[in-house]
Amino acid sequence: MNKQAFTFLTLFSLILVLSVYYIMLPPTTQEETVTQTQTTIQQLQKQLDKKREDIISKNNQIIAKESSTSDSINEALETISETKNRSDKERNIVDKIKELGYQEVYVEIDNETVKITILKKDATQSDASKIIKEVLNLLGEEYQVEVKFISE
């Protein structure tokens, strides 16, 4: 066998082995990378969204059942409506707070309490007062507002 054929076969074998190795590597997904870089605020929001989706899904199942009574269907529809309404209010509050200059905001309305978590390192009492005032102007006096500042 001459040198050229030997060199060709050697390089071809090397390329073949590397190709098989590359194909056998497990794929890396972007989801794994994103999960590592999520902030606390984003994780809280994701959990809340999942919780709300579960509530809506559960009530949709009640509505879809043939054995459901009209009372249970009405109750399920009301729960879905309340959940969507609460979610819309939370989005409005987040938008309003972002207009004030805070970028990472999490809002959860639980009964008559509005829980607000904001990512800010050097928060002052006036920051909290300003946020509470804006939320009360937006929602009215029927809610208790809790503001918490966190630093990642």
Side-chain angles (χ1 to χ4, degrees), residues 12-42:
F12 181 74
S13 300
L14 179 63
I15 290 171
L16 184 63
V17 168
L18 289 175
S19 298
V20 170
Y21 173 75
Y22 179 73
I23 290 172
M24 298 303 289
L25 282 177
T28 57
T29 62
Q30 290 180 338
E31 207 171 290
E32 293 172 3
T33 308
V34 171
T35 304
Q36 295 170 355
T37 60
Q38 283 185 336
T39 64
T40 304
I41 301 289
Q42 291 168 336

Side-chain angles (χ1 to χ4, degrees), residues 1 13 22-23 45-46 67 83 121 132 135 141-142:
M1 205 151 127
S13 300
Y22 179 73
I23 290 172
Q45 188 63 48
K46 191 174 181 179
S67 62
T83 302
K121 291 184 181 184
I132 291 170
V135 171
E141 300 292 326
E142 63 190 61

Side-chain angles (χ1 to χ4, degrees), residues 6-7 9 11-12 16 21 24-25 40 61 63 70-71 85 88-89 101 121 135 137 139:
F6 182 73
T7 305
L9 287 174
L11 289 175
F12 181 74
L16 184 63
Y21 173 75
M24 298 303 289
L25 282 177
T40 304
Q61 289 174 357
I63 293 169
S70 62
D71 289 339
N85 188 20
D88 289 342
K89 284 181 183 177
K121 291 184 181 184
V135 171
N137 285 339
L139 295 179

Side-chain angles (χ1 to χ4, degrees), residues 78-94:
E78 176 132 354
T79 304
I80 290 172
S81 176
E82 288 174 5
T83 302
K84 288 183 178 181
N85 188 20
R86 190 176 307 142
S87 182
D88 289 342
K89 284 181 183 177
E90 289 169 353
R91 254 186 252 112
N92 289 338
I93 294 169
V94 168

Side-chain angles (χ1 to χ4, degrees), residues 55-105:
I55 291 170
I56 291 173
S57 174
K58 177 183 159 192
N59 285 292
N60 279 333
Q61 289 174 357
I62 292 171
I63 293 169
K65 282 185 185 176
E66 289 183 26
S67 62
S68 296
T69 64
S70 62
D71 289 339
S72 63
I73 291 173
N74 288 337
E75 189 176 312
L77 287 170
E78 176 132 354
T79 304
I80 290 172
S81 176
E82 288 174 5
T83 302
K84 288 183 178 181
N85 188 20
R86 190 176 307 142
S87 182
D88 289 342
K89 284 181 183 177
E90 289 169 353
R91 254 186 252 112
N92 289 338
I93 294 169
V94 168
D95 291 341
K96 187 67 171 176
I97 293 173
K98 284 185 176 183
E99 286 176 12
L100 295 174
Y102 304 98
Q103 296 306 312
E104 293 285 330
V105 180

